[in-house]
Amino acid sequence: MSRSALDALDHLILAAASLDEGVAFVRERFGVSPKLGMRNPAAGTDHARVALGPRRYLEILAPAPGNELSPTLEPIRRLAAPSLYSWAIATDAGPGPRADWLGDARSDVPGGSFVRWRNLAVTIALGAAAPAFIHWSDGAPHPADDAPPAGRVIALRLAHPDPAAAAAALAKAGFTAELARADAPSFSVEIETRAGATIT
């Protein structure tokens, strides 16, 4: 049975050239100060976050000063302004014929604690519109649990040069989404803030 990608949304990633810039961007638009304190040593990134509902959040991703940044993330150093970078679907399903565990990952938080998760490698022909798939370790705190509430996601839209093929690819992974035709793959969201404003 297919599930709506919007219903399964775990988090959105907002990339910024610096954490300060990303935090200021979110504070200005949402009227809340993001929760600071997560670092991913393997990627060389610092993170901050706001909650967008139960077990759903917006994550700010930025290079960690003094740490080597993962080569795949080097383009974020050159961002002129913070922008949506990627999105992730939460899944409790174990690896099957179309998915394999990429292995455990962790982010450190103050006080010597950390959160753990697993990423799933799922090949979907969606290009830049493709989601990541994530499974949070049993018993691990979710990043949204202690993040300040900022609003809720009210729409998730994908765009692709061949919407029918993109929908079929997503369906094979067990999900559906609103799709439109465009010259290049992309994704967009609408978020309603706590003050009732809509951010796209």
Side-chain angles (χ1 to χ4, degrees):
M1 177 181 294
S2 293
R3 184 182 179 194
S4 163
L6 176 58
D7 291 342
L9 177 66
D10 184 83
H11 66 273
L12 304 166
I13 294 180
L14 180 80
S18 73
L19 192 63
D20 286 347
E21 186 178 359
V23 166
F25 183 91
V26 169
R27 185 184 293 122
E28 177 183 352
R29 285 156 180 78
F30 290 91
V32 298
S33 295
K35 174 82 172 182
L36 303 174
M38 287 180 64
R39 171 166 289 185
N40 187 333
T45 53
D46 278 339
H47 304 254
R49 61 200 186 279
V50 294
L52 297 175
R55 298 189 69 83
R56 181 173 295 175
Y57 65 105
L58 173 69
E59 177 179 14
I60 303 167
L61 169 81
N67 284 257
E68 182 176 353
L69 188 64
S70 170
T72 60
L73 296 175
E74 276 295 333
I76 71 176
R77 292 191 191 274
R78 300 185 291 276
L79 288 174
S83 63
L84 276 179
Y85 182 76
S86 62
W87 61 293
I89 282 176
T91 176
D92 293 327
R98 298 186 51 79
D100 296 298
W101 294 121
L102 291 180
D104 290 328
R106 62 179 279 172
S107 283
D108 296 331
V109 297
S113 185
F114 54 86
V115 294
R116 287 190 183 275
W117 70 91
R118 284 179 169 180
N119 289 325
L120 282 160
V122 182
T123 301
I124 298 182
L126 291 179
F133 291 81
I134 190 167
H135 171 75
W136 294 98
S137 298
D138 293 340
H142 190 275
D145 292 346
D146 63 351
R152 65 188 184 99
V153 182
I154 57 176
L156 169 68
R157 301 184 179 95
L158 308 183
H160 195 275
D162 188 343
L170 193 60
K172 288 181 180 178
F175 298 95
T176 62
E178 183 179 340
L179 271 150
R181 188 178 303 278
D183 292 338
S186 65
F187 77 98
S188 62
V189 296
E190 287 186 21
I191 301 173
E192 183 181 73
T193 70
R194 297 182 70 196
T198 299
I199 297 174
T200 57

